[in-house]
PDB file of all heavy atoms in Angstrom:
ATOM      1  N   ASP N 457     -69.521 136.770  90.129  1.00  0.00           N
ATOM      2  CA  ASP N 457     -69.122 135.571  89.395  1.00  0.00           C
ATOM      3  C   ASP N 457     -68.344 134.591  90.263  1.00  0.00           C
ATOM      4  O   ASP N 457     -67.377 133.976  89.804  1.00  0.00           O
ATOM      5  CB  ASP N 457     -68.270 135.950  88.164  1.00  0.00           C
ATOM      6  CG  ASP N 457     -69.096 136.600  87.065  1.00  0.00           C
ATOM      7  OD1 ASP N 457     -70.338 136.550  87.156  1.00  0.00           O
ATOM      8  OD2 ASP N 457     -68.497 137.168  86.122  1.00  0.00           O
ATOM      9  N   GLY N 458     -68.718 134.514  91.513  1.00  0.00           N
ATOM     10  CA  GLY N 458     -68.153 133.452  92.361  1.00  0.00           C
ATOM     11  C   GLY N 458     -66.825 133.744  93.025  1.00  0.00           C
ATOM     12  O   GLY N 458     -66.233 132.850  93.639  1.00  0.00           O
ATOM     13  N   ARG N 459     -66.323 134.987  92.933  1.00  0.00           N
ATOM     14  CA  ARG N 459     -65.037 135.281  93.606  1.00  0.00           C
ATOM     15  C   ARG N 459     -65.220 135.167  95.121  1.00  0.00           C
ATOM     16  O   ARG N 459     -66.205 135.646  95.678  1.00  0.00           O
ATOM     17  CB  ARG N 459     -64.566 136.696  93.251  1.00  0.00           C
ATOM     18  CG  ARG N 459     -63.298 137.151  93.981  1.00  0.00           C
ATOM     19  CD  ARG N 459     -63.011 138.615  93.644  1.00  0.00           C
ATOM     20  NE  ARG N 459     -61.912 139.221  94.377  1.00  0.00           N
ATOM     21  CZ  ARG N 459     -61.988 139.695  95.621  1.00  0.00           C
ATOM     22  NH1 ARG N 459     -63.111 139.571  96.316  1.00  0.00           N
ATOM     23  NH2 ARG N 459     -60.946 140.269  96.184  1.00  0.00           N
ATOM     24  N   GLY N 460     -64.256 134.562  95.782  1.00  0.00           N
ATOM     25  CA  GLY N 460     -64.289 134.468  97.240  1.00  0.00           C
ATOM     26  C   GLY N 460     -63.629 135.677  97.870  1.00  0.00           C
ATOM     27  O   GLY N 460     -62.943 136.445  97.195  1.00  0.00           O
ATOM     28  N   PRO N 461     -63.805 135.865  99.181  1.00  0.00           N
ATOM     29  CA  PRO N 461     -63.177 137.005  99.849  1.00  0.00           C
ATOM     30  C   PRO N 461     -61.679 136.811 100.054  1.00  0.00           C
ATOM     31  O   PRO N 461     -61.214 135.691 100.254  1.00  0.00           O
ATOM     32  CB  PRO N 461     -63.897 137.071 101.193  1.00  0.00           C
ATOM     33  CG  PRO N 461     -64.489 135.727 101.405  1.00  0.00           C
ATOM     34  CD  PRO N 461     -64.685 135.086 100.060  1.00  0.00           C
ATOM     35  N   SER N 462     -60.965 137.917 100.018  1.00  0.00           N
ATOM     36  CA  SER N 462     -59.524 137.881 100.296  1.00  0.00           C
ATOM     37  C   SER N 462     -59.268 138.639 101.596  1.00  0.00           C
ATOM     38  O   SER N 462     -60.155 139.320 102.126  1.00  0.00           O
ATOM     39  CB  SER N 462     -58.741 138.544  99.166  1.00  0.00           C
ATOM     40  OG  SER N 462     -58.802 139.955  99.296  1.00  0.00           O
ATOM     41  N   ILE N 463     -58.028 138.560 102.062  1.00  0.00           N
ATOM     42  CA  ILE N 463     -57.695 139.252 103.311  1.00  0.00           C
ATOM     43  C   ILE N 463     -57.828 140.762 103.156  1.00  0.00           C
ATOM     44  O   ILE N 463     -58.006 141.464 104.138  1.00  0.00           O
ATOM     45  CB  ILE N 463     -56.287 138.875 103.820  1.00  0.00           C
ATOM     46  CG1 ILE N 463     -55.207 139.109 102.758  1.00  0.00           C
ATOM     47  CG2 ILE N 463     -56.283 137.434 104.290  1.00  0.00           C
ATOM     48  CD1 ILE N 463     -53.775 138.864 103.259  1.00  0.00           C
ATOM     49  N   TRP N 464     -57.769 141.281 101.937  1.00  0.00           N
ATOM     50  CA  TRP N 464     -57.948 142.724 101.760  1.00  0.00           C
ATOM     51  C   TRP N 464     -59.419 143.128 101.810  1.00  0.00           C
ATOM     52  O   TRP N 464     -59.744 144.214 102.245  1.00  0.00           O
ATOM     53  CB  TRP N 464     -57.233 143.229 100.503  1.00  0.00           C
ATOM     54  CG  TRP N 464     -55.849 143.652 100.885  1.00  0.00           C
ATOM     55  CD1 TRP N 464     -54.726 142.876 100.835  1.00  0.00           C
ATOM     56  CD2 TRP N 464     -55.463 144.903 101.477  1.00  0.00           C
ATOM     57  NE1 TRP N 464     -53.657 143.579 101.348  1.00  0.00           N
ATOM     58  CE2 TRP N 464     -54.078 144.825 101.751  1.00  0.00           C
ATOM     59  CE3 TRP N 464     -56.133 146.071 101.806  1.00  0.00           C
ATOM     60  CZ2 TRP N 464     -53.364 145.877 102.334  1.00  0.00           C
ATOM     61  CZ3 TRP N 464     -55.428 147.130 102.387  1.00  0.00           C
ATOM     62  CH2 TRP N 464     -54.060 147.026 102.644  1.00  0.00           C
ATOM     63  N   ASP N 465     -60.316 142.237 101.393  1.00  0.00           N
ATOM     64  CA  ASP N 465     -61.747 142.527 101.588  1.00  0.00           C
ATOM     65  C   ASP N 465     -62.015 142.658 103.082  1.00  0.00           C
ATOM     66  O   ASP N 465     -62.761 143.540 103.515  1.00  0.00           O
ATOM     67  CB  ASP N 465     -62.613 141.402 101.007  1.00  0.00           C
ATOM     68  CG  ASP N 465     -62.477 141.302  99.505  1.00  0.00           C
ATOM     69  OD1 ASP N 465     -62.989 142.189  98.813  1.00  0.00           O
ATOM     70  OD2 ASP N 465     -61.835 140.350  99.021  1.00  0.00           O
ATOM     71  N   THR N 466     -61.396 141.787 103.844  1.00  0.00           N
ATOM     72  CA  THR N 466     -61.588 141.821 105.301  1.00  0.00           C
ATOM     73  C   THR N 466     -61.000 143.094 105.879  1.00  0.00           C
ATOM     74  O   THR N 466     -61.635 143.792 106.665  1.00  0.00           O
ATOM     75  CB  THR N 466     -60.903 140.594 105.939  1.00  0.00           C
ATOM     76  OG1 THR N 466     -61.372 139.432 105.284  1.00  0.00           O
ATOM     77  CG2 THR N 466     -61.178 140.521 107.431  1.00  0.00           C
ATOM     78  N   ARG N 467     -59.773 143.408 105.479  1.00  0.00           N
ATOM     79  CA  ARG N 467     -59.093 144.580 106.046  1.00  0.00           C
ATOM     80  C   ARG N 467     -59.867 145.872 105.769  1.00  0.00           C
ATOM     81  O   ARG N 467     -59.943 146.763 106.607  1.00  0.00           O
ATOM     82  CB  ARG N 467     -57.683 144.691 105.467  1.00  0.00           C
ATOM     83  CG  ARG N 467     -57.000 145.979 105.925  1.00  0.00           C
ATOM     84  CD  ARG N 467     -55.548 145.809 106.137  1.00  0.00           C
ATOM     85  NE  ARG N 467     -54.952 147.013 106.696  1.00  0.00           N
ATOM     86  CZ  ARG N 467     -54.458 147.106 107.908  1.00  0.00           C
ATOM     87  NH1 ARG N 467     -54.481 146.070 108.703  1.00  0.00           N
ATOM     88  NH2 ARG N 467     -53.929 148.225 108.339  1.00  0.00           N
ATOM     89  N   CYS N 468     -60.421 145.960 104.552  1.00  0.00           N
ATOM     90  CA  CYS N 468     -61.147 147.182 104.199  1.00  0.00           C
ATOM     91  C   CYS N 468     -62.360 147.397 105.087  1.00  0.00           C
ATOM     92  O   CYS N 468     -62.873 148.505 105.174  1.00  0.00           O
ATOM     93  CB  CYS N 468     -61.602 147.127 102.745  1.00  0.00           C
ATOM     94  SG  CYS N 468     -60.252 147.251 101.586  1.00  0.00           S
ATOM     95  N   ARG N 469     -62.813 146.336 105.719  1.00  0.00           N
ATOM     96  CA  ARG N 469     -64.002 146.471 106.576  1.00  0.00           C
ATOM     97  C   ARG N 469     -63.647 146.697 108.036  1.00  0.00           C
ATOM     98  O   ARG N 469     -64.521 146.878 108.863  1.00  0.00           O
ATOM     99  CB  ARG N 469     -64.896 145.244 106.395  1.00  0.00           C
ATOM    100  CG  ARG N 469     -65.729 145.442 105.147  1.00  0.00           C
ATOM    101  CD  ARG N 469     -66.185 144.202 104.442  1.00  0.00           C
ATOM    102  NE  ARG N 469     -66.879 144.597 103.226  1.00  0.00           N
ATOM    103  CZ  ARG N 469     -66.288 144.810 102.047  1.00  0.00           C
ATOM    104  NH1 ARG N 469     -64.982 144.686 101.912  1.00  0.00           N
ATOM    105  NH2 ARG N 469     -66.991 145.198 100.996  1.00  0.00           N
ATOM    106  N   LEU N 470     -62.368 146.723 108.339  1.00  0.00           N
ATOM    107  CA  LEU N 470     -61.929 147.000 109.708  1.00  0.00           C
ATOM    108  C   LEU N 470     -61.846 148.499 109.914  1.00  0.00           C
ATOM    109  O   LEU N 470     -61.310 149.202 109.051  1.00  0.00           O
ATOM    110  CB  LEU N 470     -60.513 146.466 109.918  1.00  0.00           C
ATOM    111  CG  LEU N 470     -60.294 145.000 110.183  1.00  0.00           C
ATOM    112  CD1 LEU N 470     -58.821 144.773 110.454  1.00  0.00           C
ATOM    113  CD2 LEU N 470     -61.146 144.556 111.357  1.00  0.00           C
ATOM    114  N   ALA N 471     -62.308 148.969 111.072  1.00  0.00           N
ATOM    115  CA  ALA N 471     -62.195 150.409 111.340  1.00  0.00           C
ATOM    116  C   ALA N 471     -60.723 150.793 111.282  1.00  0.00           C
ATOM    117  O   ALA N 471     -59.874 150.130 111.887  1.00  0.00           O
ATOM    118  CB  ALA N 471     -62.770 150.702 112.717  1.00  0.00           C
ATOM    119  N   GLY N 472     -60.398 151.816 110.501  1.00  0.00           N
ATOM    120  CA  GLY N 472     -59.022 152.299 110.412  1.00  0.00           C
ATOM    121  C   GLY N 472     -58.141 151.492 109.469  1.00  0.00           C
ATOM    122  O   GLY N 472     -56.963 151.800 109.299  1.00  0.00           O
TER     123      GLY N 472
END
Side-chain angles (χ1 to χ4, degrees):
D457 288 348
R459 175 185 174 280
S462 79
I463 55 175
W464 269 93
D465 295 288
T466 307
R467 174 145 186 112
C468 290
R469 278 153 184 88
L470 280 184

